[in-house]
């Protein structure tokens, strides 16, 4: 009996070795198929069960899944908790450069000066993100800046519900002064009745044979009552008994997109050509981002996020606190939290807060 058993073992060992084919490979193979028991695939394989095709419990991911060089980046816009829902990639897309003052992105990409559809499509995309309106408040005495604080107002242009956005593209209209292909603002030329706004202006730009030509999209804020806000700020600073010179400004960054045709020879040649012949400038389209549906005081006015008065009630204490600190920088939600939770700055005046020199450290310390 033992001899017969041993002879059968020897015959099996001498036979062909079975190696799994592509269809029988494990989960790291692209030919692997996961059968789930009830489907038609399992019915076609005699004796197949859902368990025998699952990877063993100790199986790890394939090498391609963990190799950082092969990770797939998300195709759509990336959103950030706590920030407005925007496609932030549009603030500096490929082949564009941001100016040193953060106001303008510009490109000399050839295809944008030669392809009407490419230019108009890009401008419509870049119009979907707002500019960054700010408030800059400064106080100085004897040529010394006591405080210089900034507040970001961009979130006031973007409602939580994207369906409530009211931004739109606006092209120059008949009788409106604008750069329409010349070096200076003019009322001419006008579009023909058969021509469509943005695309028609893009077509004129592409066809223009000027040695230097630019096309600019401007992002603007509408219906924000800057005068009312400035008045509240100046009243607050007067109330804390500050005696210095005060300036209140409303700068806007990320406000312009400029397309220029490539340099025909080099930058120096372009500069010389511009000096003698000027630029063919097209400044005929704006992306309008309303703060409200109408001007402050108009009947039926609705604000996109909140009114100037509501905003002021939220931020007047953080502004006062930052000024008393001799702040040189931004006023943020952290300042708002300190005012709400700790009552910072309430009831204080300028003389109640010694200068940083008296403390022996900077206002950031």
């Amino acid at each position: 009996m033992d001899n017969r058993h041993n002879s059968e073992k020897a015959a099996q060992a001498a036979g062909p070795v079975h190696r799994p084919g592509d269809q029988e490979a494990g989960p790291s193979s692209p030919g692997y198929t996961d059968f789930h028991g009830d489907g038609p695939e399992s019915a076609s394989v005699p004796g197949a069960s859902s368990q025998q095709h699952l990877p063993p419990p100790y199986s790890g991911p394939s090498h391609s899944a963990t190799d950082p060089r092969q990770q797939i980046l998300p195709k759509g816009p990336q959103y950030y908790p706590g920030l407005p829902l925007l496609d932030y990639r549009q603030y500096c897309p490929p082949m564009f450069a941001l100016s040193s003052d953060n106001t303008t992105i510009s490109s000399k990409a050839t295809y944008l000066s030669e392809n009407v559809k490419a230019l108009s499509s890009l401008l419509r995309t870049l119009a979907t993100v707002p500019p960054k309106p700010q408030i800059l408040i400064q106080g100085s005495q004897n040529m010394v800046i006591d405080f210089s604080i900034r507040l970001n107002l961009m979130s006031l242009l973007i409602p939580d519900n994207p369906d409530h956005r009211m931004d739109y593209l606006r092209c120059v209209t008949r009788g409106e002064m604008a750069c329409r292909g010349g070096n200076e603002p003019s009322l001419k030329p006008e579009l023909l009745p058969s021509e469509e706004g943005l695309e028609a202006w893009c077509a004129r730009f592409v066809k223009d044979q000027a040695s230097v030509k630019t096309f600019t999209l401007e992002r603007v804020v509408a219906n924000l009552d800057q005068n009312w806000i400035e008045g509240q700020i100046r009243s607050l600073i007067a109330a804390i008994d500050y005696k210095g010179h005060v300036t209140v400004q409303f700068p806007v960054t990320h406000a312009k997109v400029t397309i220029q045709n490539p340099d025909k020879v080099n930058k120096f040649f372009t500069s010389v050509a511009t000096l003698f012949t000027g630029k063919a400038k097209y400044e005929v389209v704006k992306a309008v981002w309303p703060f409200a549906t109408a001007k402050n005081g108009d009947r039926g006015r609705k604000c996109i996020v909140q009114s100037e008065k509501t905003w002021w009630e939220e931020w007047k204490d953080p502004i006062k606190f930052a000024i008393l600190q001799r702040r040189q920088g931004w006023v943020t939600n952290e300042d708002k939290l300190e005012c709400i939770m700790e009552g910072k700055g309430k009831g204080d005046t300028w003389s109640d807060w010694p200068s940083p020199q008296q403390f022996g450290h900077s206002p950031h310390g």
Side-chain angles (χ1 to χ4, degrees), residues 116-157:
V116 174
K117 185 175 181 180
L119 177 59
S120 60
S121 297
L122 177 69
L123 292 176
R124 289 187 184 279
T125 300
L126 297 183
T128 61
V129 292
K132 184 180 177 182
Q134 306 164 33
I135 303 178
L136 173 60
I137 309 169
Q138 293 180 313
S140 60
Q141 299 181 85
N142 302 320
M143 305 297 291
V144 176
I145 295 178
D146 292 318
F147 57 86
S148 179
I149 60 175
R150 288 179 181 266
L151 293 96
N152 180 2
L153 303 182
M154 189 171 77
S155 62
L156 300 180
L157 307 177

Short mmCIF file of all heavy atoms in Angstrom, two decimals, residues 116-157:
data_model
loop_
_atom_site.label_atom_id
_atom_site.label_comp_id
_atom_site.label_asym_id
_atom_site.label_seq_id
_atom_site.Cartn_x
_atom_site.Cartn_y
_atom_site.Cartn_z
N VAL A 116 -9.50 83.50 -30.80
CA VAL A 116 -10.62 84.22 -30.18
C VAL A 116 -11.32 83.36 -29.14
O VAL A 116 -11.60 83.82 -28.01
CB VAL A 116 -11.63 84.66 -31.26
CG1 VAL A 116 -12.86 85.29 -30.62
CG2 VAL A 116 -10.98 85.63 -32.23
N LYS A 117 -11.60 82.11 -29.48
CA LYS A 117 -12.32 81.25 -28.55
C LYS A 117 -11.51 80.99 -27.29
O LYS A 117 -12.04 80.99 -26.17
CB LYS A 117 -12.66 79.92 -29.23
CG LYS A 117 -13.53 79.01 -28.38
CD LYS A 117 -13.94 77.76 -29.13
CE LYS A 117 -14.82 76.86 -28.26
NZ LYS A 117 -15.23 75.63 -28.98
N ALA A 118 -10.21 80.76 -27.44
CA ALA A 118 -9.36 80.51 -26.28
C ALA A 118 -9.33 81.73 -25.36
O ALA A 118 -9.42 81.60 -24.13
CB ALA A 118 -7.94 80.16 -26.74
N LEU A 119 -9.23 82.92 -25.94
CA LEU A 119 -9.17 84.14 -25.15
C LEU A 119 -10.49 84.39 -24.42
O LEU A 119 -10.50 84.64 -23.20
CB LEU A 119 -8.84 85.33 -26.04
CG LEU A 119 -8.82 86.71 -25.37
CD1 LEU A 119 -7.81 86.74 -24.23
CD2 LEU A 119 -8.53 87.80 -26.39
N SER A 120 -11.60 84.31 -25.12
CA SER A 120 -12.89 84.60 -24.49
C SER A 120 -13.24 83.56 -23.43
O SER A 120 -13.77 83.90 -22.36
CB SER A 120 -14.00 84.67 -25.55
OG SER A 120 -14.12 83.43 -26.25
N SER A 121 -12.93 82.29 -23.69
CA SER A 121 -13.21 81.23 -22.71
C SER A 121 -12.39 81.44 -21.44
O SER A 121 -12.90 81.29 -20.32
CB SER A 121 -12.93 79.85 -23.30
OG SER A 121 -13.77 79.59 -24.39
N LEU A 122 -11.12 81.78 -21.61
CA LEU A 122 -10.27 82.01 -20.45
C LEU A 122 -10.76 83.20 -19.63
O LEU A 122 -10.83 83.14 -18.39
CB LEU A 122 -8.83 82.24 -20.89
CG LEU A 122 -7.86 82.56 -19.74
CD1 LEU A 122 -7.65 81.34 -18.86
CD2 LEU A 122 -6.54 83.07 -20.27
N LEU A 123 -11.12 84.28 -20.28
CA LEU A 123 -11.58 85.47 -19.56
C LEU A 123 -12.87 85.17 -18.78
O LEU A 123 -13.04 85.63 -17.64
CB LEU A 123 -11.80 86.62 -20.53
CG LEU A 123 -10.53 87.19 -21.18
CD1 LEU A 123 -10.90 88.26 -22.20
CD2 LEU A 123 -9.59 87.76 -20.13
N ARG A 124 -13.76 84.39 -19.37
CA ARG A 124 -14.99 84.03 -18.65
C ARG A 124 -14.67 83.19 -17.41
O ARG A 124 -15.29 83.35 -16.36
CB ARG A 124 -15.95 83.26 -19.57
CG ARG A 124 -16.58 84.13 -20.65
CD ARG A 124 -17.65 83.38 -21.42
NE ARG A 124 -18.19 84.18 -22.50
CZ ARG A 124 -19.11 85.12 -22.36
NH1 ARG A 124 -19.60 85.37 -21.15
NH2 ARG A 124 -19.55 85.80 -23.40
N THR A 125 -13.69 82.32 -17.52
CA THR A 125 -13.29 81.49 -16.38
C THR A 125 -12.66 82.35 -15.29
O THR A 125 -12.97 82.21 -14.09
CB THR A 125 -12.31 80.41 -16.82
OG1 THR A 125 -12.94 79.56 -17.79
CG2 THR A 125 -11.88 79.55 -15.64
N LEU A 126 -11.76 83.26 -15.68
CA LEU A 126 -11.07 84.10 -14.69
C LEU A 126 -12.02 85.10 -14.03
O LEU A 126 -11.71 85.62 -12.95
CB LEU A 126 -9.90 84.82 -15.35
CG LEU A 126 -8.79 83.93 -15.91
CD1 LEU A 126 -7.65 84.77 -16.47
CD2 LEU A 126 -8.26 82.98 -14.85
N ALA A 127 -13.15 85.35 -14.67
CA ALA A 127 -14.14 86.26 -14.09
C ALA A 127 -14.95 85.61 -12.98
O ALA A 127 -15.70 86.29 -12.28
CB ALA A 127 -15.07 86.79 -15.18
N THR A 128 -14.81 84.29 -12.79
CA THR A 128 -15.61 83.59 -11.80
C THR A 128 -15.05 83.70 -10.39
O THR A 128 -15.64 83.15 -9.45
CB THR A 128 -15.74 82.10 -12.17
OG1 THR A 128 -14.43 81.51 -12.20
CG2 THR A 128 -16.42 81.92 -13.52
N VAL A 129 -13.91 84.36 -10.22
CA VAL A 129 -13.38 84.60 -8.87
C VAL A 129 -13.30 86.11 -8.64
O VAL A 129 -13.02 86.87 -9.56
CB VAL A 129 -11.99 83.96 -8.67
CG1 VAL A 129 -12.11 82.44 -8.68
CG2 VAL A 129 -11.00 84.42 -9.71
N PRO A 130 -13.59 86.57 -7.42
CA PRO A 130 -13.68 88.01 -7.16
C PRO A 130 -12.32 88.64 -6.91
O PRO A 130 -11.32 87.94 -6.69
CB PRO A 130 -14.53 88.07 -5.91
CG PRO A 130 -14.16 86.83 -5.17
CD PRO A 130 -13.94 85.77 -6.23
N PRO A 131 -12.26 89.97 -6.91
CA PRO A 131 -11.06 90.65 -6.44
C PRO A 131 -10.99 90.55 -4.92
O PRO A 131 -11.89 89.99 -4.28
CB PRO A 131 -11.28 92.09 -6.90
CG PRO A 131 -12.76 92.25 -6.86
CD PRO A 131 -13.33 90.91 -7.28
N LYS A 132 -9.93 91.08 -4.35
CA LYS A 132 -9.76 91.06 -2.89
C LYS A 132 -9.81 92.50 -2.37
O LYS A 132 -8.78 93.16 -2.24
CB LYS A 132 -8.43 90.40 -2.52
CG LYS A 132 -8.20 90.24 -1.02
CD LYS A 132 -6.86 89.57 -0.77
CE LYS A 132 -6.54 89.47 0.71
NZ LYS A 132 -5.20 88.86 0.94
N PRO A 133 -11.01 93.00 -2.06
CA PRO A 133 -11.11 94.36 -1.51
C PRO A 133 -10.65 94.38 -0.06
O PRO A 133 -10.89 93.43 0.70
CB PRO A 133 -12.60 94.67 -1.64
CG PRO A 133 -13.27 93.33 -1.60
CD PRO A 133 -12.32 92.37 -2.23
N GLN A 134 -10.00 95.46 0.33
CA GLN A 134 -9.44 95.57 1.67
C GLN A 134 -9.71 96.97 2.23
O GLN A 134 -10.09 97.90 1.49
CB GLN A 134 -7.92 95.34 1.64
CG GLN A 134 -7.50 94.03 0.99
CD GLN A 134 -6.03 94.01 0.65
OE1 GLN A 134 -5.20 94.61 1.33
NE2 GLN A 134 -5.68 93.33 -0.43
N ILE A 135 -9.48 97.11 3.52
CA ILE A 135 -9.44 98.42 4.16
C ILE A 135 -8.06 98.59 4.77
O ILE A 135 -7.58 97.69 5.47
CB ILE A 135 -10.51 98.56 5.26
CG1 ILE A 135 -11.91 98.30 4.71
CG2 ILE A 135 -10.46 99.96 5.88
CD1 ILE A 135 -12.99 98.37 5.77
N LEU A 136 -7.42 99.71 4.48
CA LEU A 136 -6.11 100.03 5.04
C LEU A 136 -6.26 101.28 5.91
O LEU A 136 -6.63 102.34 5.41
CB LEU A 136 -5.08 100.28 3.93
CG LEU A 136 -3.71 100.79 4.36
CD1 LEU A 136 -3.02 99.81 5.30
CD2 LEU A 136 -2.84 101.07 3.13
N ILE A 137 -6.00 101.14 7.21
CA ILE A 137 -6.14 102.24 8.17
C ILE A 137 -4.77 102.54 8.76
O ILE A 137 -4.13 101.64 9.33
CB ILE A 137 -7.13 101.87 9.29
CG1 ILE A 137 -8.44 101.34 8.72
CG2 ILE A 137 -7.39 103.07 10.20
CD1 ILE A 137 -9.35 100.70 9.76
N GLN A 138 -4.34 103.80 8.63
CA GLN A 138 -3.02 104.18 9.13
C GLN A 138 -3.13 105.44 9.99
O GLN A 138 -3.93 106.34 9.70
CB GLN A 138 -2.04 104.41 7.99
CG GLN A 138 -1.70 103.13 7.21
CD GLN A 138 -0.72 103.39 6.09
OE1 GLN A 138 -0.89 104.33 5.31
NE2 GLN A 138 0.31 102.54 5.99
N GLY A 139 -2.29 105.49 11.02
CA GLY A 139 -2.18 106.68 11.85
C GLY A 139 -0.72 107.02 12.05
O GLY A 139 0.11 106.14 12.28
N SER A 140 -0.37 108.30 11.93
CA SER A 140 1.04 108.71 12.05
C SER A 140 1.15 110.04 12.79
O SER A 140 0.24 110.88 12.74
CB SER A 140 1.69 108.81 10.67
OG SER A 140 1.01 109.77 9.87
N GLN A 141 2.29 110.22 13.46
CA GLN A 141 2.62 111.47 14.15
C GLN A 141 4.12 111.72 14.00
O GLN A 141 4.92 110.80 14.19
CB GLN A 141 2.28 111.39 15.64
CG GLN A 141 0.82 111.15 15.94
CD GLN A 141 0.53 111.10 17.43
OE1 GLN A 141 0.34 112.13 18.06
NE2 GLN A 141 0.50 109.90 17.99
N ASN A 142 4.46 112.96 13.63
CA ASN A 142 5.87 113.33 13.52
C ASN A 142 6.66 112.37 12.62
O ASN A 142 7.74 111.90 12.97
CB ASN A 142 6.52 113.39 14.92
CG ASN A 142 5.82 114.38 15.82
OD1 ASN A 142 5.42 115.46 15.40
ND2 ASN A 142 5.64 114.00 17.10
N MET A 143 6.06 112.03 11.47
CA MET A 143 6.70 111.18 10.47
C MET A 143 6.91 109.74 10.95
O MET A 143 7.65 108.97 10.34
CB MET A 143 8.05 111.78 10.05
CG MET A 143 7.99 113.21 9.56
SD MET A 143 6.99 113.38 8.04
CE MET A 143 8.05 112.53 6.86
N VAL A 144 6.22 109.36 12.01
CA VAL A 144 6.32 108.00 12.53
C VAL A 144 4.94 107.35 12.44
O VAL A 144 3.94 107.92 12.90
CB VAL A 144 6.80 107.98 13.99
CG1 VAL A 144 6.79 106.56 14.55
CG2 VAL A 144 8.19 108.58 14.09
N ILE A 145 4.88 106.16 11.84
CA ILE A 145 3.61 105.44 11.71
C ILE A 145 3.30 104.74 13.02
O ILE A 145 4.05 103.86 13.47
CB ILE A 145 3.66 104.43 10.55
CG1 ILE A 145 3.82 105.16 9.21
CG2 ILE A 145 2.38 103.58 10.53
CD1 ILE A 145 3.93 104.24 8.02
N ASP A 146 2.20 105.13 13.67
CA ASP A 146 1.80 104.52 14.93
C ASP A 146 1.10 103.18 14.73
O ASP A 146 1.28 102.24 15.50
CB ASP A 146 0.87 105.46 15.71
CG ASP A 146 1.59 106.70 16.20
OD1 ASP A 146 2.74 106.56 16.69
OD2 ASP A 146 1.02 107.81 16.10
N PHE A 147 0.27 103.12 13.71
CA PHE A 147 -0.42 101.85 13.40
C PHE A 147 -0.73 101.80 11.91
O PHE A 147 -0.89 102.84 11.24
CB PHE A 147 -1.71 101.69 14.22
CG PHE A 147 -2.70 102.81 14.05
CD1 PHE A 147 -3.62 102.81 13.01
CD2 PHE A 147 -2.71 103.87 14.94
CE1 PHE A 147 -4.52 103.85 12.85
CE2 PHE A 147 -3.62 104.93 14.79
CZ PHE A 147 -4.52 104.91 13.75
N SER A 148 -0.77 100.59 11.39
CA SER A 148 -1.12 100.36 9.98
C SER A 148 -1.79 99.00 9.90
O SER A 148 -1.12 97.96 9.93
CB SER A 148 0.13 100.40 9.09
OG SER A 148 -0.20 100.16 7.73
N ILE A 149 -3.11 98.99 9.82
CA ILE A 149 -3.87 97.74 9.87
C ILE A 149 -4.68 97.55 8.59
O ILE A 149 -5.11 98.49 7.95
CB ILE A 149 -4.79 97.68 11.10
CG1 ILE A 149 -5.81 98.83 11.07
CG2 ILE A 149 -3.96 97.73 12.39
CD1 ILE A 149 -6.84 98.74 12.19
N ARG A 150 -4.88 96.28 8.26
CA ARG A 150 -5.65 95.90 7.07
C ARG A 150 -6.76 94.93 7.46
O ARG A 150 -6.59 94.11 8.36
CB ARG A 150 -4.76 95.22 6.03
CG ARG A 150 -3.79 96.15 5.32
CD ARG A 150 -2.95 95.36 4.32
NE ARG A 150 -2.00 96.21 3.63
CZ ARG A 150 -2.21 96.79 2.46
NH1 ARG A 150 -3.37 96.60 1.82
NH2 ARG A 150 -1.31 97.55 1.89
N LEU A 151 -7.88 95.04 6.74
CA LEU A 151 -8.98 94.08 6.87
C LEU A 151 -9.37 93.59 5.49
O LEU A 151 -9.41 94.37 4.53
CB LEU A 151 -10.19 94.71 7.56
CG LEU A 151 -10.00 95.10 9.02
CD1 LEU A 151 -9.64 96.57 9.14
CD2 LEU A 151 -11.26 94.79 9.83
N ASN A 152 -9.65 92.31 5.40
CA ASN A 152 -10.03 91.67 4.14
C ASN A 152 -11.55 91.62 4.03
O ASN A 152 -12.23 91.07 4.90
CB ASN A 152 -9.44 90.26 4.10
CG ASN A 152 -9.77 89.51 2.82
OD1 ASN A 152 -10.42 90.04 1.93
ND2 ASN A 152 -9.34 88.27 2.74
N LEU A 153 -12.10 92.19 2.95
CA LEU A 153 -13.56 92.24 2.75
C LEU A 153 -14.05 91.25 1.69
O LEU A 153 -15.23 91.28 1.33
CB LEU A 153 -13.99 93.66 2.34
CG LEU A 153 -13.61 94.80 3.29
CD1 LEU A 153 -14.16 96.12 2.75
CD2 LEU A 153 -14.11 94.55 4.70
N MET A 154 -13.17 90.39 1.20
CA MET A 154 -13.54 89.53 0.06
C MET A 154 -14.72 88.62 0.40
O MET A 154 -15.57 88.34 -0.46
CB MET A 154 -12.35 88.70 -0.39
CG MET A 154 -12.58 87.95 -1.69
SD MET A 154 -11.09 87.17 -2.35
CE MET A 154 -10.97 85.74 -1.29
N SER A 155 -14.79 88.13 1.63
CA SER A 155 -15.86 87.20 1.99
C SER A 155 -17.24 87.85 1.90
O SER A 155 -18.25 87.14 1.84
CB SER A 155 -15.63 86.67 3.41
OG SER A 155 -15.65 87.72 4.35
N LEU A 156 -17.31 89.18 1.88
CA LEU A 156 -18.60 89.86 1.79
C LEU A 156 -19.19 89.84 0.39
O LEU A 156 -20.32 90.30 0.17
CB LEU A 156 -18.46 91.32 2.26
CG LEU A 156 -17.98 91.52 3.70
CD1 LEU A 156 -17.87 93.00 4.03
CD2 LEU A 156 -18.89 90.81 4.69
N LEU A 157 -18.43 89.31 -0.57
CA LEU A 157 -18.90 89.25 -1.96
C LEU A 157 -19.38 87.86 -2.34
O LEU A 157 -19.90 87.67 -3.45
CB LEU A 157 -17.76 89.65 -2.91
CG LEU A 157 -17.06 90.99 -2.63
CD1 LEU A 157 -15.93 91.20 -3.63
CD2 LEU A 157 -18.06 92.14 -2.70
#
